Amino acid sequence: MNHQSVVVLDFGGQYNQLIARRVRECGVYCELLPYDTDVEKLKEKNLIGIILTGGPNSVTEEGAPMLDKKVLSLGVPVLGICYGCQLLAYMHGGEVTCGAREYGKRRLLVGKGGKLTKGLPKESVCWMSHTYFVGKTPEGCTVTASTETCPTAAYENEKERYYAVQFHPEVMHTEYGTKVLENFLYGICGAKGDWTMKNFAEQTVAALKEKLGDKKVLCALSGGVDSAVAAALVHKACPNLICVFVDHGLLRKNEAEEVERVFRDEQGMNLIKADASEIFLEKLKGVTDPETKRRIIGEEFIRVFEREAKKIGKVDYLVQGTIYPDVIESGKGKSAVIKSHHNVGALPDVVDFKEIVEPLRDLFKDEVRACGFEIGLPKSIVMRQPFPGPGLAIRIIGDVTREKLDILKEADYIFREEIARADLDGKIWQYFAVLTGNRSVGVMGDERTYDYTLALRGVTSVDGMTADWARIPYDVLETVSNRIVNEVGHINRIVYDITGKPPATIEWE
Ligand code: XMP
């Protein structure tokens, strides 16, 4: 693709992926690469700027990661953030000093004349996280901002085209962080803003057309966002795409029907649905251990897919929904990644294919969603909340039966409906019901009951690694509770899970 690109060189800071995401939000394509990436590799890109990230080291300590000097002669502007800011000073003969620790929100005081700080008010809030700072800037630099404890919160060398901020413009708490990034990209690097999902979708479809032609292509649809968008993109480029959807019967109410409706009826895809719910239920009979459930479902999924793939025979390409964070996490973009999601990870072993095609490997999750909308997929698919591969089997504590599945599907559906009605569906990361193995005494009418306890779980999160329990308003919870006990049989007690992760996990199993 011929779009402009900015490379973020990674020195190990915790916000580095975020920098790349923010740059892309500004409409400029951006990649995160290791700090010691070969200069020749950088030359291959349509490079307009380089960003050096923060990191845990101090530039003055032995073994601290350094930048190859040749990077500074590539002829494009360089922005240093935090460690990157100190590194630029150090490399140009400035001094880096160990000073007062600054962590969190600080008052940023901006002076006149900076290109990077252009348009910022005299005073605003920035986010700092450092112990060292630039004590003396290199010759030819102008200091353009400070805080009470850091005299060099921003400096720049207009002649040599390097720019630096000690604070973190990528962090939400930095009030004018986006403005600083825009100044760098548009005011300094000459960005055109050519990274849009419309461009991406058009160029990807064109490239896929060329690559795939009328070859035979296979894709496993799971109902999840990534495989859905990947399949829909490939479908626009290739007439011979076959999608296989294994319905293990453990999806939420209406989800399997939705997959068929959208992909077969609306998108006109060649979709093969393997209805395997009976097989999965049979295999899961009497199994109570969560990890055993996961293993059985994972293995059975592969077996069902294998049977379908055998019927199809040899294909040329297998589509995978790998996305950019997967690429970064597993080898810093060096090798093709096969997603380790339980239900697609082992597919390459059982399919007879020539090559893997990964149309989303350059996209962050929010871009995958934007791309999904761009190519006409509905909200129900594009904004689908994360859902575990083993499905409702790990939301039923104890053994899985058809009866329990039916109860859980109905209860979960009511919860989802009410969350959407309260306009909370876009604000909560995941919300679902769990059929606990607990039974307790209740009273309904004049009858004593001894029925299931249902747990409701709602969490906010950024990446699923940590989470907080969602503060769902009491009146919404009350409506959900009333509806469930009235409309679904065999539930006489409902509890709301108020634990974060850690110490709990998001799922109950
Ligand atoms: P936990 O429960 O570990 O979940 O806090 C973190 C995120 O991962 C999802 N999850 C899974 N996804 N297969 C999956 O594909 C699994 O076995 C699995 N277990 C948990 C969970 O829904 C949450 O988003």
Side-chain angles (χ1 to χ4, degrees), residues 404-423:
K404 288 183 191 171
L405 265 174
D406 289 343
I407 294 172
L408 182 58
K409 280 184 187 178
E410 290 305 322
D412 184 77
Y413 188 73
I414 291 172
F415 189 26
R416 284 194 282 147
E417 252 186 358
E418 291 303 327
I419 289 289
R421 193 165 291 164
D423 206 18

Side-chain angles (χ1 to χ4, degrees), residues 294 341-342 386 388-390 394-395 429-430 464 501 505-507:
R294 274 199 172 76
H341 189 286
H342 92 279
I394 59 164
R395 292 180 180 171
W429 170 265
Q430 264 174 294
K501 171 186 179 177
T505 49
I506 294 176
E507 303 292 343

Side-chain angles (χ1 to χ4, degrees), residues 25-68:
E25 280 165 18
C26 295
V28 181
Y29 179 69
C30 183
E31 278 178 82
L32 180 65
L33 295 175
Y35 72 90
D36 55 356
T37 300
D38 193 344
V39 180
E40 293 308 314
K41 195 171 164 190
L42 299 179
K43 283 185 188 161
E44 289 164 13
K45 301 182 186 295
N46 186 5
L47 204 62
I48 59 163
I50 289 175
I51 299 180
L52 314 178
T53 73
N57 302 80
S58 148
V59 291
T60 51
E61 77 193 22
E62 216 183 297
M66 286 291 142
L67 182 71
D68 183 346

Side-chain angles (χ1 to χ4, degrees), residues 117-163:
T117 46
K118 193 175 165 190
L120 263 67
K122 274 190 194 150
E123 243 189 85
S124 62
V125 173
C126 73
W127 182 266
M128 285 282 195
S129 174
H130 69 114
T131 312
Y132 289 80
F133 68 93
V134 175
K136 186 165 160 268
T137 52
E139 238 182 84
C141 290
T142 314
V143 174
T144 55
S146 60
T147 67
E148 273 140 30
T149 34
C150 178
T152 47
Y155 68 85
E156 55 191 62
N157 188 321
E158 174 60 13
K159 194 159 155 256
E160 295 184 46
R161 298 178 87 199
Y162 64 88
Y163 304 79

